[in-house]
Amino acid sequence: MKKIIVWTLMGVMALCLAACSKDANEKATDYSVKANWCKIPTITKDVDMFYIPATNYDGEEAGAPNFAPIDNKEMVAGIADEYMAHASAYADVANVFVPYYRQASLKYEEDCWRKTGDMLTALTGTPYTDISAALDYYFKNYNGGRPFMIGGHSQGSAMTKLCLMKYFKEHPDYYKRMIAAYVIGFAVTKDDLKNYPHLKFATGESDTGVIVSWNTEGPGNANAKNMVWMPGAISINPLNWKLDDTYASADENLGSYILNLETLERELVYDIDADAQVNVARGVVVTNADCPFNPYTKIFGEASFHNEDYGLFYNNIKDNVATRVAAYKNK
């Protein structure tokens, strides 16, 4: 009887995975078309950043497709804002490339997460098809052999993780030039590192060829379900770059880049008490910052700072990017 139950559960999981991956053979977007890129920079630096945007397409309307059309206006406008809020953190030291892609809707991500327990299952078809094609085109036509970083936020970080597991395993010649992968706002777990031994997690502020990752929560999220978190997650503290629970006070925060709710513009602030401490057991960064929580409580929890994974620690991220790039060049 136990074997029958186990195989039945495995069958249900397989059906869920198939349902959330059914577009895997779809033709990729053509990245020789410049309109399919948000940013193709003028090359002024000797290092690149390939930034994969977060979810900027809700898909809540009746009949809306699971994946955004490549020219979806909601997505295009959202990615432009995200460039300034997140990807700009890399622009001081890197040429920042940002592709559009047929990203999964927030609704579809939630559906797949609730069916399978892993939001990543929403991305293995159409979104991965596009991003792997964008990487192919980038390396063959834009990279010019330069060392690079890759990263994103939320869905973009989930896509980064998927690329680390699949694309770079298949392209070790590219992977050896990776300075770091900033998988911010999506879980990297101990099982990921065990199952993909070519991946290494950061252990400090200056190691290279590594994954840098965290999810940010308030103390009230300790037992919450969170779509971007998974059991066994690992987070590094973005203020002191430690993996243990060493507390970093707000005095170590170099500046937060936060949305002003009155002007609806982001601005650098230094007085919101954005401290940080790793909750090692949960694998997240906990902060007591005086900042609004993420509005999507049903998928991130009542006290998630998911929207501000970058913003709360913005200047520390900028500083760390420069540190890792310098360490790579000095190897």
Side-chain angles (χ1 to χ4, degrees):
M1 179 63 70
K2 288 183 178 179
K3 287 185 177 180
I4 292 173
I5 292 172
V6 170
W7 282 108
T8 300
L9 290 172
M10 290 177 67
V12 170
M13 181 61 75
L15 288 172
C16 289
L17 287 168
C20 292
S21 306
K22 60 187 177 182
D23 297 298
N25 295 320
E26 191 169 4
K27 185 179 179 181
T29 292
D30 182 358
Y31 286 96
S32 69
V33 177
K34 292 187 177 180
N36 292 333
W37 294 83
C38 172
K39 293 287 182 181
I40 304 173
T42 301
I43 304 303
T44 58
K45 316 286 196 315
D46 54 4
V47 168
D48 291 349
M49 175 61 179
F50 187 96
Y51 183 88
I52 308 174
T55 306
N56 288 282
Y57 168 61
D58 283 340
E60 294 287 351
E61 301 83 4
N66 290 334
F67 305 107
I70 198 69
D71 59 351
N72 177 268
K73 291 182 179 179
E74 176 190 6
M75 180 185 73
V76 168
I79 290 175
D81 288 341
E82 185 182 350
Y83 176 85
M84 295 305 301
H86 297 164
S88 61
Y90 305 97
D92 284 355
V93 296
N95 312 299
V96 183
F97 292 82
V98 185
Y100 296 124
Y101 65 106
R102 291 169 296 168
Q103 59 180 223
S105 70
L106 188 63
K107 180 180 183 301
Y108 187 57
E109 289 174 298
E110 181 183 353
D111 289 346
C112 287
W113 169 56
R114 295 196 184 280
K115 288 176 181 176
T116 69
D118 187 352
M119 188 193 89
L120 205 63
T121 57
L123 311 181
T124 57
T126 298
Y128 181 74
T129 297
D130 273 7
I131 289 298
S132 57
L135 282 167
D136 282 343
Y137 195 83
Y138 159 75
F139 280 116
K140 291 174 183 175
N141 297 276
Y142 292 142
N143 174 253
R146 290 181 296 277
F148 69 96
M149 297 171 286
I150 186 170
H153 183 244
S154 197
Q155 179 173 172
S157 282
M159 285 300 312
T160 301
K161 173 176 160 178
L162 190 57
C163 290
L164 290 169
M165 294 188 300
K166 295 179 62 177
Y167 186 88
F168 288 108
K169 184 177 181 180
E170 297 164 2
H171 297 86
D173 51 331
Y174 298 152
Y175 187 58
K176 67 184 180 182
R177 290 190 273 116
M178 188 188 80
I179 297 169
Y182 284 84
V183 186
I184 299 173
F186 194 78
V188 175
T189 70
K190 295 173 184 175
D191 282 346
D192 293 331
L193 303 181
K194 179 180 177 181
N195 294 333
Y196 298 90
H198 65 288
L199 303 182
K200 297 185 297 181
F201 202 91
T203 59
E205 66 178 348
S206 61
D207 43 349
T208 61
V210 297
I211 297 169
V212 179
S213 180
W214 64 84
N215 280 298
T216 316
E217 297 184 331
N221 233 45
N223 298 308
K225 291 185 177 180
N226 186 337
M227 189 169 73
V228 292
W229 170 87
M230 294 184 71
I234 311 167
S235 282
I236 195 166
N237 189 317
L239 297 187
N240 61 22
W241 305 103
K242 295 181 182 294
L243 296 173
D244 62 22
D245 63 356
T246 302
Y247 176 71
S249 74
D251 291 339
E252 297 179 66
N253 193 313
L254 302 178
S256 304
Y257 192 39
I258 299 297
L259 186 68
N260 183 316
L261 297 180
E262 294 182 359
T263 66
L264 299 182
E265 299 287 339
R266 284 192 175 262
E267 56 188 34
L268 277 170
V269 297
Y270 304 89
D271 58 354
I272 61 170
D273 296 323
D275 58 357
Q277 184 174 28
V278 175
N279 178 331
V280 178
R282 184 166 167 86
V284 300
V285 167
V286 177
T287 183
N288 297 290
D290 182 15
C291 178
F293 288 120
N294 188 89
Y296 298 101
T297 57
K298 69 174 183 174
I299 55 175
F300 299 122
E302 294 287 340
S304 169
F305 284 107
H306 181 65
N307 276 11
E308 299 301 343
D309 285 315
Y310 271 82
L312 287 171
F313 313 113
Y314 183 83
N315 273 358
N316 292 78
I317 295 171
K318 290 183 68 174
D319 183 71
N320 184 250
V321 169
T323 297
R324 292 190 196 276
V325 167
Y328 182 92
K329 290 179 179 180
N330 290 330
K331 286 197 303 183

